[in-house]
Amino acid sequence: MGITSKSDGSGITTVTVDYPPVNAIPSKGWFELADAIREAGKDQSTHVVILRAEGRGFNAGVDIKEMQATEGHGALIEANRGCAAAFSAVYDCEVPVVVAVNGFCVGGGIGLVGNADVIVASDDAIFGLPEVDRGALGAATHLARLVPQHMMRTLYYTAKNVDAQTLKHFGSVYDVVPRAELDACALKIAGEIAAKDTRVIRRAKEAINRIDVMDVHTSYRIEQGFTFELNLAGVADEHRDEFVATGKPRANK
């Protein structure tokens, strides 16, 4: 359980997230995930990283129950810093990162996927940001890398989900397969990348990041600033408390 990393000798390092029951990652886990991805990229024997998850879904974001059970705002700050670290680790990884999304990918999961290089998904995968229903903001930066601008705004304001087939239509998901075939699908595209000259691929990753039109680090930090404003106003705590108590979003005021 937790974050594990395994190399298969062919240049592919697989990082697996396993936090039952829904892969809501605690604060410490986000930093551990960031470390695992960074270390994989630094290892010259790694040509490509696969990021995958065990269990019901790929990622349910931060562990809100941990946040609400902790006195003060320490857990909130650590969760925000941890998410930023993990998202950046995926984006800045020295080799391409292939994400294999099963089931649900919401909240912080969008940050991971939106910063990846290649996305494959199971045919039951859904993607979304429930942030506004939690009294928070964030990862619009990364959702905007998956869908067109107005779709991003609609999904963000409504907290609705979008399925993997729709993202494939938009061109952000490379392939959609039955869940039983997901790992094999990720390994296939990862193997194709790993077979290339890693010296060239590493420079290609750096070059693509340098010409990227979006500064993902700064834009995500700006979003987090508004989340902290909602916390200072007490709004976010109201929504998180309601979620912890009922498991459902708080009614609009």
Side-chain angles (χ1 to χ4, degrees):
M1 191 175 77
I3 308 297
T4 58
S5 184
K6 181 180 180 181
S7 298
D8 66 0
S10 68
I12 300 172
T13 296
T14 300
V15 177
T16 299
V17 177
D18 185 12
Y19 282 98
V22 294
N23 284 324
I25 304 179
S27 301
K28 182 180 178 182
W30 287 103
F31 288 105
E32 292 175 350
L33 178 56
D35 289 342
I37 294 170
R38 286 197 196 98
E39 288 305 311
K42 290 177 183 178
D43 186 344
Q44 294 299 307
S45 69
T46 297
H47 295 189
V48 61
V49 172
I50 293 175
L51 176 58
R52 62 178 299 280
E54 288 290 340
R56 292 162 50 190
F58 176 75
N59 189 274
V62 301
D63 188 344
I64 294 178
K65 292 182 179 179
E66 174 198 46
M67 196 177 297
Q68 294 311 94
T70 304
E71 189 73 23
H73 291 116
L76 171 69
I77 293 171
E78 285 301 288
N80 277 271
R81 288 189 174 276
C83 282
F87 300 169
S88 294
V90 173
Y91 185 80
D92 294 327
C93 185
E94 295 174 33
V95 298
V97 177
V98 177
V99 291
V101 180
N102 62 298
F104 46 82
C105 175
V106 297
I110 295 294
L112 297 172
V113 170
N115 274 340
D117 296 279
V118 182
I119 307 164
V120 295
S122 59
D123 53 15
D124 63 346
I126 59 168
F127 302 75
L129 287 178
E131 284 11 45
V132 296
D133 286 339
R134 307 289 185 264
L137 301 174
T141 292
H142 313 101
L143 184 60
R145 300 168 70 82
L146 301 175
V147 300
Q149 176 68 209
H150 286 87
M151 176 63 77
M152 180 275 289
R153 288 171 180 258
T154 301
L155 293 173
Y156 198 69
Y157 298 148
T158 63
K160 289 184 177 180
N161 297 324
V162 62
D163 62 32
Q165 286 290 355
T166 299
L167 292 191
K168 185 178 180 182
H169 170 75
F170 288 137
S172 48
V173 166
Y174 173 72
D175 204 0
V176 179
V177 297
R179 184 179 289 207
E181 300 173 16
L182 181 60
D183 285 333
C185 180
L187 281 168
K188 184 177 185 297
I189 186 65
E192 292 175 11
I193 297 170
K196 306 295 183 183
D197 186 331
T198 189
R199 297 169 298 179
V200 178
I201 295 297
R202 285 170 178 265
R203 297 293 75 76
K205 174 70 182 276
E206 183 178 3
I208 290 172
N209 280 5
R210 284 178 177 269
I211 64 171
D212 203 334
V213 296
M214 180 182 294
D215 179 356
V216 296
H217 305 300
T218 301
S219 58
Y220 179 58
R221 195 60 176 162
I222 289 171
E223 290 186 77
Q224 286 188 321
F226 287 100
T227 292
F228 284 124
E229 181 178 308
L230 289 169
N231 274 277
L232 288 173
V235 175
D237 263 327
E238 292 179 21
H239 285 268
R240 288 197 302 266
D241 284 340
E242 184 70 13
F243 175 78
V244 169
T246 68
K248 298 178 181 179
R250 188 172 184 271
N252 293 336
K253 286 288 187 182

